[in-house]
Amino acid sequence: MRSTLLRGVAAAVLALALAACDTSGGDETPAGTPAGTASAPADLAISSEFTSSGTFQSHTSVRGARGVDLVLTMYPTKATPRTNEWYPGGSKFFTFTFQGYDLSQPLRAPFDTKRLMYLETIEVTSATITANGGATERPYSLDAEAADVTFDPEPARSRFGMLITSPKGALEVRNQEIGPMSPDTRGVELTFRAVVHIEKRAGSGEYLTRTVKQVVPIAIFASDDPTVATPIPENAS
C-alpha cells in the first residue's frame, strides 16, 4: 500500500513539473534562435490586411496635434496585382502614398484655414519571416528625402520638406520592388518611418516635429515557381 501511494505521489510531482515547463507565449523568441532571425511554422499563414484586402491603410494621430490624421496607403501595382500569388522567388511591386489631413476643419474648408504639414524624410526597411529559422533577409529598403522620391516632379517645398496637407500635397512613391527571398520565406514586414513637421495652428508658422512609424506585414506563399510580373508601363501605378 505504501509503495503504491509513493508511486502515485511521484507521478503527480512529475505531471506538475511538466506543466510548469509548458510556456505557451507565442511571441517569445525560441531559445537558440540566432539574433536577427525570425522563424515560423512551415504551414504558418501570416495575418496581413495588405494580402487579404489587396490594399493597406493606416490612420495615425499625432501627440500634441489634435485633429491631425496621417494616412499611409499601400497597394500592389499592375505588375503583380494578385497578392495571393506573391511567392519567394521573383520580384513583387507596390506603390504607397502618405498624406496629412487637418480634421479640425471641414474637408472642403478653405485651404488657408488648415494646418500645414511637411514630410521631411521617408525610410522603409524590411525583414523576412521564414519557416525554417533561416537568416533574416531584407529584400526592400528606402531612405530618402521625401521631395526627391515623390511622383510629382515639382512638389510644394519648404525648409521642412515637401507639403503633404490634403488636398494640396501628398507623397506618392510608385512601383517599388520587393526582391527575391529564400524559398522558405512565409512573410515580410515593411517598417515605415516618416519625419513630419506639423503647424501648431493654421498660419502660425510654428511647427511640431514628430517621427511616425507603421509596420505592414505581407504574406508570402510557398511555391517552387517565382512571382510572375508583367511589364510596368511608364508612369503606371
Side-chain angles (χ1 to χ4, degrees), residues 1-40:
M1 180 68 178
R2 178 180 175 82
S3 175
T4 302
L5 179 60
L6 288 174
R7 285 198 297 271
V9 171
V13 170
L14 177 60
L16 287 171
L18 291 173
C21 291
D22 180 16
T23 56
S24 56
D27 293 334
E28 294 291 332
T29 302
T33 301
T37 296
S39 62

PDB file of all heavy atoms in Angstrom, residues 1-40:
ATOM      1  N   MET A   1       0.841  -1.209   0.000  1.00  0.00           N
ATOM      2  CA  MET A   1       0.000   0.000   0.000  1.00  0.00           C
ATOM      3  C   MET A   1       0.873   1.254   0.000  1.00  0.00           C
ATOM      4  O   MET A   1       0.667   2.181  -0.762  1.00  0.00           O
ATOM      5  CB  MET A   1      -0.895  -0.017   1.252  1.00  0.00           C
ATOM      6  CG  MET A   1      -1.823   1.194   1.349  1.00  0.00           C
ATOM      7  SD  MET A   1      -3.071   1.171   0.074  1.00  0.00           S
ATOM      8  CE  MET A   1      -3.981   2.638   0.505  1.00  0.00           C
ATOM      9  N   ARG A   2       1.897   1.268   0.862  1.00  0.00           N
ATOM     10  CA  ARG A   2       2.788   2.421   0.937  1.00  0.00           C
ATOM     11  C   ARG A   2       3.510   2.621  -0.385  1.00  0.00           C
ATOM     12  O   ARG A   2       3.692   3.738  -0.862  1.00  0.00           O
ATOM     13  CB  ARG A   2       3.792   2.212   2.088  1.00  0.00           C
ATOM     14  CG  ARG A   2       4.796   3.361   2.219  1.00  0.00           C
ATOM     15  CD  ARG A   2       5.746   3.078   3.367  1.00  0.00           C
ATOM     16  NE  ARG A   2       6.774   4.093   3.434  1.00  0.00           N
ATOM     17  CZ  ARG A   2       6.618   5.272   4.017  1.00  0.00           C
ATOM     18  NH1 ARG A   2       5.446   5.605   4.539  1.00  0.00           N
ATOM     19  NH2 ARG A   2       7.597   6.146   4.046  1.00  0.00           N
ATOM     20  N   SER A   3       3.928   1.489  -1.017  1.00  0.00           N
ATOM     21  CA  SER A   3       4.629   1.579  -2.294  1.00  0.00           C
ATOM     22  C   SER A   3       3.726   2.178  -3.367  1.00  0.00           C
ATOM     23  O   SER A   3       4.137   3.011  -4.175  1.00  0.00           O
ATOM     24  CB  SER A   3       5.104   0.183  -2.715  1.00  0.00           C
ATOM     25  OG  SER A   3       5.683   0.224  -3.999  1.00  0.00           O
ATOM     26  N   THR A   4       2.449   1.740  -3.373  1.00  0.00           N
ATOM     27  CA  THR A   4       1.505   2.282  -4.349  1.00  0.00           C
ATOM     28  C   THR A   4       1.303   3.778  -4.155  1.00  0.00           C
ATOM     29  O   THR A   4       1.247   4.566  -5.101  1.00  0.00           O
ATOM     30  CB  THR A   4       0.160   1.556  -4.221  1.00  0.00           C
ATOM     31  OG1 THR A   4       0.368   0.163  -4.416  1.00  0.00           O
ATOM     32  CG2 THR A   4      -0.843   2.079  -5.253  1.00  0.00           C
ATOM     33  N   LEU A   5       1.171   4.216  -2.889  1.00  0.00           N
ATOM     34  CA  LEU A   5       0.987   5.633  -2.590  1.00  0.00           C
ATOM     35  C   LEU A   5       2.166   6.463  -3.044  1.00  0.00           C
ATOM     36  O   LEU A   5       2.015   7.530  -3.629  1.00  0.00           O
ATOM     37  CB  LEU A   5       0.779   5.799  -1.076  1.00  0.00           C
ATOM     38  CG  LEU A   5       0.580   7.239  -0.576  1.00  0.00           C
ATOM     39  CD1 LEU A   5      -0.640   7.860  -1.240  1.00  0.00           C
ATOM     40  CD2 LEU A   5       0.451   7.260   0.945  1.00  0.00           C
ATOM     41  N   LEU A   6       3.390   5.954  -2.793  1.00  0.00           N
ATOM     42  CA  LEU A   6       4.588   6.703  -3.200  1.00  0.00           C
ATOM     43  C   LEU A   6       4.657   6.852  -4.716  1.00  0.00           C
ATOM     44  O   LEU A   6       5.037   7.898  -5.238  1.00  0.00           O
ATOM     45  CB  LEU A   6       5.849   5.992  -2.683  1.00  0.00           C
ATOM     46  CG  LEU A   6       6.072   6.083  -1.170  1.00  0.00           C
ATOM     47  CD1 LEU A   6       7.261   5.229  -0.765  1.00  0.00           C
ATOM     48  CD2 LEU A   6       6.306   7.540  -0.759  1.00  0.00           C
ATOM     49  N   ARG A   7       4.272   5.748  -5.413  1.00  0.00           N
ATOM     50  CA  ARG A   7       4.294   5.844  -6.874  1.00  0.00           C
ATOM     51  C   ARG A   7       3.297   6.888  -7.370  1.00  0.00           C
ATOM     52  O   ARG A   7       3.551   7.635  -8.308  1.00  0.00           O
ATOM     53  CB  ARG A   7       3.988   4.477  -7.497  1.00  0.00           C
ATOM     54  CG  ARG A   7       5.148   3.485  -7.409  1.00  0.00           C
ATOM     55  CD  ARG A   7       4.954   2.344  -8.396  1.00  0.00           C
ATOM     56  NE  ARG A   7       3.741   1.573  -8.077  1.00  0.00           N
ATOM     57  CZ  ARG A   7       3.732   0.534  -7.241  1.00  0.00           C
ATOM     58  NH1 ARG A   7       4.855   0.162  -6.637  1.00  0.00           N
ATOM     59  NH2 ARG A   7       2.618  -0.123  -7.011  1.00  0.00           N
ATOM     60  N   GLY A   8       2.145   6.976  -6.708  1.00  0.00           N
ATOM     61  CA  GLY A   8       1.136   7.977  -7.093  1.00  0.00           C
ATOM     62  C   GLY A   8       1.631   9.383  -6.854  1.00  0.00           C
ATOM     63  O   GLY A   8       1.414  10.284  -7.672  1.00  0.00           O
ATOM     64  N   VAL A   9       2.283   9.600  -5.709  1.00  0.00           N
ATOM     65  CA  VAL A   9       2.827  10.935  -5.414  1.00  0.00           C
ATOM     66  C   VAL A   9       3.887  11.320  -6.429  1.00  0.00           C
ATOM     67  O   VAL A   9       3.945  12.441  -6.925  1.00  0.00           O
ATOM     68  CB  VAL A   9       3.401  10.974  -3.979  1.00  0.00           C
ATOM     69  CG1 VAL A   9       4.157  12.279  -3.757  1.00  0.00           C
ATOM     70  CG2 VAL A   9       2.273  10.830  -2.971  1.00  0.00           C
ATOM     71  N   ALA A  10       4.762  10.365  -6.751  1.00  0.00           N
ATOM     72  CA  ALA A  10       5.832  10.651  -7.724  1.00  0.00           C
ATOM     73  C   ALA A  10       5.251  11.017  -9.079  1.00  0.00           C
ATOM     74  O   ALA A  10       5.715  11.931  -9.761  1.00  0.00           O
ATOM     75  CB  ALA A  10       6.759   9.429  -7.856  1.00  0.00           C
ATOM     76  N   ALA A  11       4.169  10.322  -9.496  1.00  0.00           N
ATOM     77  CA  ALA A  11       3.553  10.625 -10.786  1.00  0.00           C
ATOM     78  C   ALA A  11       2.951  12.015 -10.788  1.00  0.00           C
ATOM     79  O   ALA A  11       3.037  12.763 -11.765  1.00  0.00           O
ATOM     80  CB  ALA A  11       2.465   9.573 -11.093  1.00  0.00           C
ATOM     81  N   ALA A  12       2.325  12.392  -9.662  1.00  0.00           N
ATOM     82  CA  ALA A  12       1.724  13.725  -9.570  1.00  0.00           C
ATOM     83  C   ALA A  12       2.780  14.811  -9.636  1.00  0.00           C
ATOM     84  O   ALA A  12       2.609  15.836 -10.297  1.00  0.00           O
ATOM     85  CB  ALA A  12       0.925  13.838  -8.270  1.00  0.00           C
ATOM     86  N   VAL A  13       3.915  14.603  -8.931  1.00  0.00           N
ATOM     87  CA  VAL A  13       5.005  15.579  -8.952  1.00  0.00           C
ATOM     88  C   VAL A  13       5.553  15.733 -10.361  1.00  0.00           C
ATOM     89  O   VAL A  13       5.821  16.836 -10.837  1.00  0.00           O
ATOM     90  CB  VAL A  13       6.119  15.156  -7.973  1.00  0.00           C
ATOM     91  CG1 VAL A  13       7.357  16.029  -8.169  1.00  0.00           C
ATOM     92  CG2 VAL A  13       5.622  15.245  -6.541  1.00  0.00           C
ATOM     93  N   LEU A  14       5.711  14.598 -11.081  1.00  0.00           N
ATOM     94  CA  LEU A  14       6.218  14.654 -12.447  1.00  0.00           C
ATOM     95  C   LEU A  14       5.260  15.429 -13.353  1.00  0.00           C
ATOM     96  O   LEU A  14       5.685  16.246 -14.178  1.00  0.00           O
ATOM     97  CB  LEU A  14       6.417  13.233 -12.983  1.00  0.00           C
ATOM     98  CG  LEU A  14       6.896  13.123 -14.455  1.00  0.00           C
ATOM     99  CD1 LEU A  14       8.245  13.821 -14.614  1.00  0.00           C
ATOM    100  CD2 LEU A  14       6.987  11.663 -14.869  1.00  0.00           C
ATOM    101  N   ALA A  15       3.956  15.203 -13.196  1.00  0.00           N
ATOM    102  CA  ALA A  15       2.973  15.910 -14.014  1.00  0.00           C
ATOM    103  C   ALA A  15       3.031  17.407 -13.783  1.00  0.00           C
ATOM    104  O   ALA A  15       2.962  18.207 -14.710  1.00  0.00           O
ATOM    105  CB  ALA A  15       1.566  15.384 -13.709  1.00  0.00           C
ATOM    106  N   LEU A  16       3.190  17.815 -12.492  1.00  0.00           N
ATOM    107  CA  LEU A  16       3.290  19.232 -12.180  1.00  0.00           C
ATOM    108  C   LEU A  16       4.549  19.845 -12.789  1.00  0.00           C
ATOM    109  O   LEU A  16       4.548  20.972 -13.281  1.00  0.00           O
ATOM    110  CB  LEU A  16       3.275  19.443 -10.662  1.00  0.00           C
ATOM    111  CG  LEU A  16       1.928  19.224  -9.979  1.00  0.00           C
ATOM    112  CD1 LEU A  16       2.113  19.256  -8.462  1.00  0.00           C
ATOM    113  CD2 LEU A  16       0.920  20.275 -10.412  1.00  0.00           C
ATOM    114  N   ALA A  17       5.647  19.099 -12.736  1.00  0.00           N
ATOM    115  CA  ALA A  17       6.903  19.605 -13.293  1.00  0.00           C
ATOM    116  C   ALA A  17       6.785  19.822 -14.788  1.00  0.00           C
ATOM    117  O   ALA A  17       7.244  20.818 -15.338  1.00  0.00           O
ATOM    118  CB  ALA A  17       8.043  18.626 -12.990  1.00  0.00           C
ATOM    119  N   LEU A  18       6.126  18.870 -15.491  1.00  0.00           N
ATOM    120  CA  LEU A  18       5.950  19.026 -16.932  1.00  0.00           C
ATOM    121  C   LEU A  18       5.057  20.214 -17.251  1.00  0.00           C
ATOM    122  O   LEU A  18       5.305  20.967 -18.197  1.00  0.00           O
ATOM    123  CB  LEU A  18       5.354  17.738 -17.522  1.00  0.00           C
ATOM    124  CG  LEU A  18       6.285  16.524 -17.528  1.00  0.00           C
ATOM    125  CD1 LEU A  18       5.533  15.292 -17.978  1.00  0.00           C
ATOM    126  CD2 LEU A  18       7.500  16.771 -18.423  1.00  0.00           C
ATOM    127  N   ALA A  19       4.000  20.383 -16.455  1.00  0.00           N
ATOM    128  CA  ALA A  19       3.108  21.512 -16.678  1.00  0.00           C
ATOM    129  C   ALA A  19       3.840  22.835 -16.486  1.00  0.00           C
ATOM    130  O   ALA A  19       3.624  23.796 -17.207  1.00  0.00           O
ATOM    131  CB  ALA A  19       1.906  21.429 -15.728  1.00  0.00           C
ATOM    132  N   ALA A  20       4.729  22.906 -15.503  1.00  0.00           N
ATOM    133  CA  ALA A  20       5.478  24.130 -15.236  1.00  0.00           C
ATOM    134  C   ALA A  20       6.406  24.480 -16.380  1.00  0.00           C
ATOM    135  O   ALA A  20       6.748  25.632 -16.584  1.00  0.00           O
ATOM    136  CB  ALA A  20       6.287  23.983 -13.941  1.00  0.00           C
ATOM    137  N   CYS A  21       6.818  23.479 -17.170  1.00  0.00           N
ATOM    138  CA  CYS A  21       7.727  23.730 -18.289  1.00  0.00           C
ATOM    139  C   CYS A  21       6.987  24.155 -19.548  1.00  0.00           C
ATOM    140  O   CYS A  21       7.603  24.530 -20.532  1.00  0.00           O
ATOM    141  CB  CYS A  21       8.547  22.463 -18.599  1.00  0.00           C
ATOM    142  SG  CYS A  21       9.727  22.059 -17.298  1.00  0.00           S
ATOM    143  N   ASP A  22       5.658  24.076 -19.569  1.00  0.00           N
ATOM    144  CA  ASP A  22       4.882  24.394 -20.749  1.00  0.00           C
ATOM    145  C   ASP A  22       4.557  25.876 -20.777  1.00  0.00           C
ATOM    146  O   ASP A  22       3.563  26.315 -20.226  1.00  0.00           O
ATOM    147  CB  ASP A  22       3.590  23.565 -20.740  1.00  0.00           C
ATOM    148  CG  ASP A  22       2.734  23.862 -21.962  1.00  0.00           C
ATOM    149  OD1 ASP A  22       3.281  24.451 -22.913  1.00  0.00           O
ATOM    150  OD2 ASP A  22       1.551  23.513 -21.947  1.00  0.00           O
ATOM    151  N   THR A  23       5.401  26.692 -21.427  1.00  0.00           N
ATOM    152  CA  THR A  23       5.146  28.128 -21.562  1.00  0.00           C
ATOM    153  C   THR A  23       4.652  28.364 -22.971  1.00  0.00           C
ATOM    154  O   THR A  23       5.373  28.129 -23.939  1.00  0.00           O
ATOM    155  CB  THR A  23       6.432  28.938 -21.308  1.00  0.00           C
ATOM    156  OG1 THR A  23       7.433  28.483 -22.202  1.00  0.00           O
ATOM    157  CG2 THR A  23       6.893  28.764 -19.880  1.00  0.00           C
ATOM    158  N   SER A  24       3.431  28.833 -23.104  1.00  0.00           N
ATOM    159  CA  SER A  24       2.816  28.957 -24.423  1.00  0.00           C
ATOM    160  C   SER A  24       2.823  30.381 -24.941  1.00  0.00           C
ATOM    161  O   SER A  24       1.987  30.762 -25.735  1.00  0.00           O
ATOM    162  CB  SER A  24       1.371  28.443 -24.371  1.00  0.00           C
ATOM    163  OG  SER A  24       0.644  29.143 -23.373  1.00  0.00           O
ATOM    164  N   GLY A  25       3.748  31.206 -24.502  1.00  0.00           N
ATOM    165  CA  GLY A  25       3.830  32.583 -25.000  1.00  0.00           C
ATOM    166  C   GLY A  25       4.280  32.596 -26.439  1.00  0.00           C
ATOM    167  O   GLY A  25       5.453  32.442 -26.735  1.00  0.00           O
ATOM    168  N   GLY A  26       3.330  32.765 -27.383  1.00  0.00           N
ATOM    169  CA  GLY A  26       3.654  32.662 -28.799  1.00  0.00           C
ATOM    170  C   GLY A  26       4.582  33.737 -29.298  1.00  0.00           C
ATOM    171  O   GLY A  26       5.188  33.582 -30.337  1.00  0.00           O
ATOM    172  N   ASP A  27       4.709  34.846 -28.586  1.00  0.00           N
ATOM    173  CA  ASP A  27       5.561  35.937 -29.044  1.00  0.00           C
ATOM    174  C   ASP A  27       7.004  35.798 -28.590  1.00  0.00           C
ATOM    175  O   ASP A  27       7.845  36.614 -28.945  1.00  0.00           O
ATOM    176  CB  ASP A  27       5.004  37.286 -28.545  1.00  0.00           C
ATOM    177  CG  ASP A  27       3.673  37.608 -29.188  1.00  0.00           C
ATOM    178  OD1 ASP A  27       3.429  37.122 -30.297  1.00  0.00           O
ATOM    179  OD2 ASP A  27       2.893  38.337 -28.577  1.00  0.00           O
ATOM    180  N   GLU A  28       7.285  34.808 -27.785  1.00  0.00           N
ATOM    181  CA  GLU A  28       8.651  34.630 -27.301  1.00  0.00           C
ATOM    182  C   GLU A  28       9.535  34.089 -28.413  1.00  0.00           C
ATOM    183  O   GLU A  28       9.128  33.232 -29.196  1.00  0.00           O
ATOM    184  CB  GLU A  28       8.667  33.646 -26.122  1.00  0.00           C
ATOM    185  CG  GLU A  28       7.955  34.157 -24.883  1.00  0.00           C
ATOM    186  CD  GLU A  28       8.698  35.302 -24.229  1.00  0.00           C
ATOM    187  OE1 GLU A  28       9.927  35.357 -24.363  1.00  0.00           O
ATOM    188  OE2 GLU A  28       8.040  36.145 -23.596  1.00  0.00           O
ATOM    189  N   THR A  29      10.769  34.585 -28.507  1.00  0.00           N
ATOM    190  CA  THR A  29      11.742  34.036 -29.447  1.00  0.00           C
ATOM    191  C   THR A  29      12.272  32.719 -28.908  1.00  0.00           C
ATOM    192  O   THR A  29      12.729  32.662 -27.772  1.00  0.00           O
ATOM    193  CB  THR A  29      12.912  35.016 -29.644  1.00  0.00           C
ATOM    194  OG1 THR A  29      12.386  36.261 -30.119  1.00  0.00           O
ATOM    195  CG2 THR A  29      13.920  34.468 -30.645  1.00  0.00           C
ATOM    196  N   PRO A  30      12.199  31.620 -29.693  1.00  0.00           N
ATOM    197  CA  PRO A  30      12.672  30.329 -29.192  1.00  0.00           C
ATOM    198  C   PRO A  30      14.134  30.387 -28.780  1.00  0.00           C
ATOM    199  O   PRO A  30      14.943  31.053 -29.425  1.00  0.00           O
ATOM    200  CB  PRO A  30      12.481  29.397 -30.399  1.00  0.00           C
ATOM    201  CG  PRO A  30      11.465  30.082 -31.257  1.00  0.00           C
ATOM    202  CD  PRO A  30      11.686  31.545 -31.053  1.00  0.00           C
ATOM    203  N   ALA A  31      14.460  29.698 -27.695  1.00  0.00           N
ATOM    204  CA  ALA A  31      15.849  29.662 -27.239  1.00  0.00           C
ATOM    205  C   ALA A  31      16.724  29.077 -28.335  1.00  0.00           C
ATOM    206  O   ALA A  31      16.362  28.112 -28.992  1.00  0.00           O
ATOM    207  CB  ALA A  31      15.947  28.819 -25.978  1.00  0.00           C
ATOM    208  N   GLY A  32      17.877  29.700 -28.541  1.00  0.00           N
ATOM    209  CA  GLY A  32      18.810  29.205 -29.538  1.00  0.00           C
ATOM    210  C   GLY A  32      18.606  29.807 -30.912  1.00  0.00           C
ATOM    211  O   GLY A  32      19.380  29.539 -31.814  1.00  0.00           O
ATOM    212  N   THR A  33      17.541  30.598 -31.112  1.00  0.00           N
ATOM    213  CA  THR A  33      17.347  31.256 -32.394  1.00  0.00           C
ATOM    214  C   THR A  33      18.358  32.379 -32.534  1.00  0.00           C
ATOM    215  O   THR A  33      18.464  33.225 -31.664  1.00  0.00           O
ATOM    216  CB  THR A  33      15.921  31.837 -32.505  1.00  0.00           C
ATOM    217  OG1 THR A  33      14.984  30.777 -32.367  1.00  0.00           O
ATOM    218  CG2 THR A  33      15.721  32.528 -33.842  1.00  0.00           C
ATOM    219  N   PRO A  34      19.141  32.402 -33.622  1.00  0.00           N
ATOM    220  CA  PRO A  34      20.159  33.441 -33.763  1.00  0.00           C
ATOM    221  C   PRO A  34      19.548  34.822 -33.770  1.00  0.00           C
ATOM    222  O   PRO A  34      18.421  35.021 -34.219  1.00  0.00           O
ATOM    223  CB  PRO A  34      20.797  33.108 -35.138  1.00  0.00           C
ATOM    224  CG  PRO A  34      20.423  31.684 -35.417  1.00  0.00           C
ATOM    225  CD  PRO A  34      19.114  31.466 -34.736  1.00  0.00           C
ATOM    226  N   ALA A  35      20.302  35.799 -33.273  1.00  0.00           N
ATOM    227  CA  ALA A  35      19.829  37.185 -33.279  1.00  0.00           C
ATOM    228  C   ALA A  35      19.586  37.627 -34.708  1.00  0.00           C
ATOM    229  O   ALA A  35      20.317  37.274 -35.624  1.00  0.00           O
ATOM    230  CB  ALA A  35      20.872  38.083 -32.618  1.00  0.00           C
ATOM    231  N   GLY A  36      18.536  38.407 -34.903  1.00  0.00           N
ATOM    232  CA  GLY A  36      18.222  38.905 -36.229  1.00  0.00           C
ATOM    233  C   GLY A  36      17.522  37.902 -37.106  1.00  0.00           C
ATOM    234  O   GLY A  36      17.453  38.052 -38.313  1.00  0.00           O
ATOM    235  N   THR A  37      16.970  36.829 -36.525  1.00  0.00           N
ATOM    236  CA  THR A  37      16.290  35.803 -37.282  1.00  0.00           C
ATOM    237  C   THR A  37      14.851  35.696 -36.831  1.00  0.00           C
ATOM    238  O   THR A  37      14.567  35.671 -35.642  1.00  0.00           O
ATOM    239  CB  THR A  37      16.984  34.434 -37.088  1.00  0.00           C
ATOM    240  OG1 THR A  37      18.297  34.512 -37.621  1.00  0.00           O
ATOM    241  CG2 THR A  37      16.220  33.324 -37.799  1.00  0.00           C
ATOM    242  N   ALA A  38      13.918  35.647 -37.788  1.00  0.00           N
ATOM    243  CA  ALA A  38      12.520  35.402 -37.480  1.00  0.00           C
ATOM    244  C   ALA A  38      12.140  34.055 -38.048  1.00  0.00           C
ATOM    245  O   ALA A  38      12.502  33.727 -39.169  1.00  0.00           O
ATOM    246  CB  ALA A  38      11.643  36.499 -38.085  1.00  0.00           C
ATOM    247  N   SER A  39      11.439  33.222 -37.275  1.00  0.00           N
ATOM    248  CA  SER A  39      11.060  31.913 -37.760  1.00  0.00           C
ATOM    249  C   SER A  39       9.595  31.668 -37.480  1.00  0.00           C
ATOM    250  O   SER A  39       8.988  32.287 -36.618  1.00  0.00           O
ATOM    251  CB  SER A  39      11.909  30.827 -37.102  1.00  0.00           C
ATOM    252  OG  SER A  39      11.709  30.817 -35.700  1.00  0.00           O
ATOM    253  N   ALA A  40       9.005  30.737 -38.243  1.00  0.00           N
ATOM    254  CA  ALA A  40       7.603  30.415 -38.096  1.00  0.00           C
ATOM    255  C   ALA A  40       7.384  28.980 -38.529  1.00  0.00           C
ATOM    256  O   ALA A  40       8.201  28.415 -39.262  1.00  0.00           O
ATOM    257  CB  ALA A  40       6.774  31.365 -38.973  1.00  0.00           C
TER     258      ALA A  40
END
